[in-house]
Amino acid sequence: MNEQVGPTLHALPDGEAEIALVVRLPWEDVARLGQEAGRLAMQMKRPVTLDEAVSHRLRSRPATAAHAKPSEPAAVSTLPRVSGSA
């Protein structure tokens, strides 16, 4: 039997949570993440991982309800884009 186990969730001492995900992305999205990491590294004046770039990107975007429809379509270059089956 092939049971899928959900992502592992960890509570962190600073009051945040950490969730580990595996996502399949086209190379174009990986390249855009690299560009985002480069911009963030210049801003922070230190090396930045792709994980940090994704986290920063998610935190810097306004939260929207999952059920709400966007008022206009998102640009193709908008990150992050998750593809694959759930």
Side-chain angles (χ1 to χ4, degrees), residues 24-69:
R24 294 179 60 171
L25 299 171
W27 282 111
E28 294 82 13
D29 288 346
V30 175
R32 283 191 290 273
L33 279 174
Q35 291 173 343
E36 181 82 16
R39 284 190 292 272
L40 188 57
M42 288 178 58
Q43 182 181 25
M44 299 178 81
K45 299 184 184 341
R46 67 171 179 82
V48 174
T49 65
L50 291 181
D51 289 350
E52 287 179 286
V54 170
S55 181
H56 181 265
R57 181 72 177 219
L58 290 172
R59 290 170 186 262
S60 65
R61 300 185 80 179
T64 58
H67 65 280
K69 291 184 180 179

Side-chain angles (χ1 to χ4, degrees), residues 6-10 18-22:
T8 305
L9 181 67
H10 297 281
E18 179 179 277
I19 186 168
L21 301 172
V22 174

